[in-house]
Amino acid sequence: GPTALALLGPAPGAPCCPHGPALLFVKTSQGKEEGRRFYACSACRDRKDCNFFQWEDEKVSEARLAAREEYNRSHQPCFTHRQNVDRYKNFVLLPLSKRRFCQECQQLLLPAEWKKHSHHQFLCDITTTQLKSPSQLLYPLENKKTNAQYLFTDRSCQFLLHLLTDLGFRRVLSVGTPRLHEMIQSKASQEEEFNVRSLLLDIDFRYSQFYTEDEFCHYNMFNHHFFGGEAARETCRKFLCEENGERVIMVTDPPFGGLVEALASSFKKLMAMWRETEKEGHDNREMPTFWIFPYFFESRILDFFPSFSMMDYQVDYDNHALYKHGKTGRRQSPVRIFTNLTPSMIVLPEEEGYRFCTVCQRYVSSGNQHCEICNSCTSKDGRRWKHCVLCKKCVKPSWFHCNNCKCCTLEKHSCGKSDSGCFVCGKAGHKRSACPSLSRS
Ligand code: SAH
Ligand code: ZN
Ligand code: ZN
Ligand code: ZN
Ligand code: ZN
């Protein structure tokens, strides 16, 4: 029968892989009793990237534990963050002609190391501008399931930055948003009056070559693991203290294949960290957050954060053909901003067609028509949706009401078969591993 994988969450005393504490899962088959529980890597969906696996009730011998520890140690980066910071200091002292970046190792090279990399491709004359935009210098990680990096277009990144500065935020906790972080850092270094700061939390350790320990923490957002231990955790905690009334916002753009419940659990821990920094107490307030994620995850996100609402703004990416805001025949990006801020405060650009709906008290996309019956602007994907009187709700324009199924669905479907659909996008006909919304062309 069909099997399902359920996440039981971060468990106390969980064994560790190189990516920190593993998560506890259970595989259930329909019609069967409780499935057997097991631990697997939190960060990697693909066994090829991390094959950590252990049954919850498995007895692990001393020898295997020791071997595992040794394995985890040997799978840490070859330089520490501290070493990388020192290397950077030396690197910027070099004349342009001696500044090389190894493309194969994705590493800034000091002259003494050239020989070791002589058979690798490298870039020369690395400028200060390049050092200030590492997301352009580094290859976006490609792994589809584990760590695909989709970088914001300049348009989307500028929009986010303006939005949050206009809202009065002065500190940005950038969780998996290296390009936003980089835009903030470079503006801060160039413009006297720009007083926004950012701390980047990301699993991509390559960034430690460009940022100090106060600017970057090696972090796993699926298990809230700080690779740098207590010192890194403290850096984050200090950053969240709103000294001098500098208000903090968390902005996160996690990999879409990721487990929503694991992400939500980590974000709640970051929010708790923020709440605990406040001496007078933030009472029951939630740390202001932008969670950038596809619209088809709306109900999943609201399950964990009922205070959130989804904005119509379409976030697009440079290296994702599917999610690009094209000039002609514009393809609509399915990626949105979920936030716990009051929707009416999120001003969307009118020059891109967004307009304010006075009834809904929020900005909506140009195609999103206010439905008088639902009394709301109901489109999720930017196209104009239509109201079905039988379903008593608005549905996608491509759907028809099927009298057999007693609901609206695609015209081509087999009646009565409720295909459970893809885990990622919810559409029928493919599994999560083959989801077209995760692949790029
Ligand atoms: N649009 C963003 C990048 C989003 S891509 C920007 O332009 O800034 C997803 C980001 O999450 C990448 O930077 C990736 O390195 C990071 N990431 C992926 N898995 C992660 C994990 N387990 N923990 C923390 N960060 C992770
Ligand atoms: Zn792992
Ligand atoms: Zn409306
Ligand atoms: Zn309607
Ligand atoms: Zn219908």
Side-chain angles (χ1 to χ4, degrees):
T3 59
L5 210 59
L7 173 68
L8 297 168
C16 286
C17 71
H19 306 93
L23 297 178
L24 189 57
F25 294 86
V26 64
K27 198 174 217 155
T28 53
S29 348
Q30 211 171 41
K32 285 224 180 104
E33 287 278 295
E34 182 88 340
R36 200 170 170 194
R37 296 160 171 234
F38 64 89
Y39 291 103
C41 176
S42 59
C44 309
R45 298 274 77 79
D46 194 336
R47 283 289 187 87
K48 273 188 249 124
D49 298 312
C50 180
N51 62 4
F52 185 87
F53 181 90
Q54 184 190 311
W55 294 112
E56 188 191 25
D57 54 11
E58 192 176 337
K59 280 263 178 298
V60 183
S61 69
E62 287 298 323
R64 230 181 98 201
L65 277 180
R68 185 184 284 168
E69 239 169 72
E70 180 48 38
Y71 178 87
N72 289 352
R73 244 195 315 276
S74 69
H75 279 72
Q76 294 308 320
C78 51
F79 292 113
T80 63
H81 194 171
R82 187 91 285 269
Q83 286 170 322
N84 275 339
V85 172
D86 289 336
R87 292 167 56 79
Y88 184 88
K89 282 187 194 145
N90 291 325
F91 190 87
V92 292
L93 293 175
L94 297 168
L96 212 54
S97 62
K98 289 194 169 163
R99 292 192 191 173
R100 289 188 183 176
F101 175 76
C102 177
Q103 291 183 299
E104 253 173 85
C105 305
Q106 292 283 290
Q107 193 188 313
L108 298 171
L109 298 181
L110 296 171
E113 297 158 344
W114 288 0
K115 221 163 142 203
K116 240 177 34 201
H117 299 261
S118 58
H119 297 293
H120 297 170
Q121 290 224 19
F122 58 84
L123 296 173
C124 305
D125 301 343
I126 303 298
T127 63
T128 307
T129 311
Q130 281 173 299
L131 292 173
K132 280 190 182 158
S133 32
S135 78
Q136 315 258 5
L137 190 62
L138 301 166
Y139 284 133
L141 297 178
E142 294 264 345
N143 188 305
K144 238 192 244 173
K145 286 186 193 162
T146 298
N147 196 355
Q149 287 179 319
Y150 297 128
L151 300 167
F152 296 134
T153 55
D154 200 50
R155 186 186 75 94
S156 284
C157 207
Q158 294 276 5
F159 165 74
L160 284 169
L161 183 52
H162 281 142
L163 179 61
L164 61 89
T165 51
D166 287 349
L167 289 165
F169 293 103
R170 290 292 168 269
R171 294 190 190 201
V172 183
L173 185 66
S174 296
V175 185
T177 55
R179 198 157 259 186
L180 178 64
H181 176 71
E182 161 180 317
M183 188 175 270
I184 294 171
Q185 295 284 107
S186 85
K187 260 185 119 103
S189 72
Q190 282 159 18
E191 298 169 27
E192 192 70 64
E193 65 286 9
F194 183 83
N195 52 0
V196 181
R197 293 204 294 131
S198 170
L199 173 66
L200 175 64
L201 306 188
D202 203 288
I203 203 163
D204 186 352
F205 193 66
R206 297 175 305 171
Y207 283 101
S208 71
Q209 299 180 85
F210 306 91
Y211 301 121
T212 64
E213 290 102 325
D214 286 334
E215 299 165 327
F216 169 74
C217 295
H218 190 202
Y219 174 79
N220 182 348
M221 63 169 116
F222 290 114
N223 58 3
H224 188 59
H225 178 65
F226 285 87
F227 293 85
E230 198 44 48
R233 194 180 280 271
E234 193 49 38
T235 299
C236 182
R237 198 176 287 128
K238 262 175 67 190
F239 185 81
L240 296 177
C241 286
E242 302 184 321
E243 292 149 15
N244 322 316
E246 294 178 351
R247 293 170 58 223
V248 186
I249 184 166
M250 168 161 70
V251 182
T252 183
D253 186 11
F256 307 146
L259 300 150
V260 176
E261 50 271 69
L263 292 169
S265 149
S266 298
F267 299 156
K268 281 181 197 273
K269 285 174 185 155
L270 288 169
M271 288 170 164
M273 221 184 215
W274 171 80
R275 203 173 299 118
E276 284 154 17
T277 60
E278 184 60 63
K279 277 152 222 96
E280 290 107 73
H282 287 294
D283 301 324
N284 294 319
R285 286 205 303 128
E286 235 172 37
M287 168 160 67
T289 299
F290 289 161
W291 178 347
I292 297 162
F293 226 49
Y295 70 82
F296 32 78
F297 280 104
E298 183 183 23
S299 64
R300 299 286 293 134
I301 290 181
L302 297 194
D303 282 347
F304 295 100
F305 294 106
S307 62
F308 280 33
S309 43
M310 187 174 88
M311 303 295 100
D312 269 19
Y313 184 79
Q314 301 192 359
V315 178
D316 13 67
Y317 298 91
D318 263 348
N319 55 342
H320 200 306
L322 217 64
Y323 298 175
K324 222 168 176 165
H325 172 118
K327 282 188 200 77
T328 51
R330 168 173 178 186
R331 282 203 97 133
Q332 312 241 27
S333 163
V335 183
R336 304 286 183 270
I337 301 166
F338 294 83
T339 185
N340 49 5
L341 298 174
T342 310
S344 62
M345 302 198 317
I346 312 296
V347 179
L348 305 186
E350 286 178 14
E351 63 278 14
E352 286 174 36
Y354 298 99
R355 65 183 169 82
F356 191 72
C357 172
T358 49
V359 184
C360 298
Q361 283 292 302
R362 66 175 182 104
Y363 279 82
V364 294
S365 58
S366 55
N368 197 354
Q369 287 270 336
H370 191 85
C371 169
E372 298 298 338
I373 308 165
C374 296
N375 195 30
S376 113
C377 289
T378 44
S379 170
K380 303 290 181 194
D381 59 11
R383 296 178 298 169
R384 184 179 178 168
W385 284 27
K386 57 181 187 189
H387 192 86
C388 170
V389 286
L390 296 169
C391 291
K392 297 192 177 68
K393 64 175 184 188
C394 283
V395 297
K396 290 183 178 175
S398 53
W399 284 15
F400 292 89
H401 193 86
C402 169
N403 288 319
N404 277 332
C405 300
K406 298 195 168 44
C407 68
C408 279
T409 181
L410 281 172
E411 196 168 25
K412 261 202 238 144
H413 71 281
S414 28
C415 285
K417 265 210 190 125
S418 70
D419 195 330
S420 57
C422 163
F423 180 86
V424 174
C425 71
K427 289 186 187 136
H430 62 263
K431 287 268 170 60
R432 162 161 106 182
S433 54
C435 180
S437 74
L438 295 180
S439 64
R440 54 177 123 181
S441 43

